[in-house]
Amino acid sequence: MSAADALSKSPDPARRQTRRAFRGLLAARLLGALADGAMLPFIVLWAHETGGLSGASAGMLFLALAFGELAGGLAGGVLADRVGHRRMLLISTIGMAAGYSSLFLVHHAVLALVAFLTAGIFEAAFHPTIAALIADLHQGQDLHHAYGMTRVAASLGSIAGPIVGAAAVSFSLSCVFAVAGILLLGAVLAVFLAVPPDRAIEPAQPEAEPDHVPGGLMQVLRDRRLLLLVVGGGLLSITFTWWEADGLVLLNRLHAMGTSAFAALFAVDAAATVLFQMPISRWARDRSTARLLFAGAALQGVGLAGLAAAGAGYPALVAAVLLISFGMMLAGPATSAFVSRHAPPGRSATYQAALSTTQDIGTAIGPTSGLAIGRIGPPALVWLLALPLSLIAGLATAKASGPLASGQTAGAARTRC
């Protein structure tokens, strides 16, 4: 039975509750992206003028944030499965709001690093817990559509966030953190008012045997499918970070451009997601997950390789970015939906947290490795190398989401229906 049929036969109050809860999650994701987008363009400037960090040391704020996310990632997912997804989402969002808004008053380097570290720890649980709650609310093929809508909400926040941040900075640099805190408190309010307790949106699941459900890290190591997804996703994240973090430096050696022109490419990516994610999600919902993941990785690789043609002019860069964007539109929702279906009962947030570590892998390895490759060879080598690596990643993720091998049980890839 499809989710649409199930909803049509369910009482109207239950149907309204599901829709209301999902809208609350979309609002929380949008407000979280708005807060991120408002802060990110001004963090380094704030660090130099107010935060007590000068020169390259301002980058330590991003390192503290990434370390907090990496340290709290799997632990946040495991904790969410134990204390409840809604409760953990409220805790993590409040923690992010407190961490970022405290920077409105902070004027010391050590305190700034502590605030970013704390916010990163809470943010590590924010994204996987939203993904787990989406899985609690949706079934089967509707998962792909729901995760697609979440990406659209995040992209809208990415587009509008810098505009909100620029308005805040017109008062003072520190105001951007106060605004981010207010936006995140709005996300708290949206979740609190719209999302009911876990027991109201997900039937009680049988307790798994402790011997068969280890902690977050061991869960990744023992589940071959999840491990392949993390390895393949981490490789894709590394190559994407070459573009996201190192792109301006590397591309300037092929085609001179200013920071505004480079930032406009990210606006192109976000706008494409807003316009095309939902049509692509509707088209993809009946397609093979393995094929979607391989096609998405391949498109991202071709797009990154296309950046080697930057010397042909700015239109070539726009075309390459659109290919990268379409690749992510195919692979992103499909990966999240597969992980939600594959997770054992009561472990959806743990599995989503494991998946989110792919971003941490990219943040930790990508920027340094991209610049290192650019030093030992021509800049085009970085982009051309991204294609075979993306294809390898696509093969790994397609293998992970392919049909069950002989002897495996259907319970290893549970379908929520």
Side-chain angles (χ1 to χ4, degrees):
M1 180 186 297
S2 70
D5 293 337
L7 284 174
S8 65
K9 295 181 179 181
S10 64
D12 284 343
R15 184 176 183 180
R16 287 197 298 269
Q17 182 185 66
T18 297
R19 288 181 174 177
R20 182 184 180 190
F22 182 53
R23 288 169 183 162
L25 294 176
L26 288 179
R29 188 66 185 91
L30 171 62
L31 290 167
L34 273 171
D36 279 343
M39 290 184 296
L40 286 176
F42 307 103
I43 287 176
V44 172
L45 184 61
W46 173 87
H48 288 166
E49 296 191 9
T50 307
L53 292 162
S54 59
S57 62
M60 292 177 64
L61 293 176
F62 292 99
L63 288 177
L65 184 63
F67 182 79
E69 292 180 356
L70 187 60
L74 289 174
V78 173
L79 189 60
D81 284 328
R82 290 182 179 176
V83 306
H85 298 161
R86 177 183 182 270
R87 186 177 302 166
M88 191 62 198
L89 181 57
L90 289 170
I91 292 171
S92 62
T93 313
I94 291 171
M96 289 165 58
Y100 288 127
S101 61
S102 68
L103 293 163
F104 176 68
L105 302 173
V106 165
H107 304 287
H108 190 278
V110 173
L111 294 178
L113 289 170
V114 170
F116 270 87
L117 176 64
T118 302
I121 290 172
F122 283 105
E123 191 164 356
F126 177 78
H127 300 289
T129 309
I130 283 184
L133 275 165
I134 289 172
D136 294 342
L137 292 168
H138 296 84
Q139 302 174 3
Q141 294 173 334
D142 283 346
L143 277 171
H144 193 286
H145 186 268
Y147 287 125
M149 290 187 70
T150 308
R151 290 194 81 241
V152 171
S155 295
L156 284 170
S158 299
I159 293 172
I163 300 172
V164 174
V169 168
S170 66
F171 294 95
S172 76
L173 278 170
S174 295
C175 277
V176 75
F177 297 110
V179 168
I182 292 170
L183 290 169
L184 289 169
L185 287 177
V188 172
L189 188 62
V191 173
F192 183 79
L193 294 177
V195 181
D198 292 62
R199 62 181 179 275
I201 59 177
E202 183 180 29
Q205 299 286 358
E207 287 293 329
E209 292 294 329
D211 290 343
H212 300 296
V213 186
L217 179 59
M218 291 305 298
Q219 191 80 63
V220 175
L221 296 177
R222 293 188 185 185
D223 189 320
R224 189 168 65 90
R225 286 176 177 265
L226 185 59
L227 180 60
L228 277 173
L229 281 175
V230 170
V231 171
L235 194 54
L236 284 175
S237 182
I238 289 169
T239 57
F240 180 79
T241 308
W242 291 350
W243 144 246
E244 185 180 44
D246 303 335
L248 183 59
V249 174
L250 296 172
L251 289 174
N252 263 323
R253 294 168 59 185
L254 297 169
H255 176 79
M257 72 173 75
T259 55
S260 297
F262 182 67
L265 294 175
F266 290 95
V268 168
D269 172 36
T273 302
V274 171
L275 291 173
F276 299 112
Q277 179 66 74
M278 297 319 300
I280 288 175
S281 292
R282 285 192 289 270
W283 171 83
R285 60 187 299 168
D286 297 322
R287 300 305 195 275
S288 161
T289 299
R291 292 179 179 177
L292 288 173
L293 295 185
F294 181 77
L299 272 179
Q300 179 174 317
V302 171
L304 288 168
L307 295 175
Y314 199 74
L317 292 176
V318 172
V321 168
L322 287 174
L323 285 174
I324 296 170
S325 183
F326 278 105
M328 296 178 72
M329 288 184 227
L330 284 175
T335 304
S336 296
F338 173 78
V339 169
S340 292
R341 293 193 297 265
H342 177 62
R347 294 293 180 269
S348 59
T350 300
Y351 268 56
Q352 291 291 346
L355 181 64
S356 72
T357 61
T358 59
Q359 303 301 318
D360 301 322
I361 292 170
T363 301
I365 300 175
T368 304
S369 61
L371 292 176
I373 296 169
R375 289 192 192 100
I376 65 175
L381 176 63
V382 178
W383 312 123
L384 295 176
L385 183 60
L387 178 56
L389 292 178
S390 297
L391 293 176
I392 292 171
L395 289 172
T397 54
K399 176 72 173 176
S401 59
L404 288 169
S406 176
Q408 286 184 286
T409 64
R414 179 177 62 92
T415 301
R416 304 177 65 90
C417 61

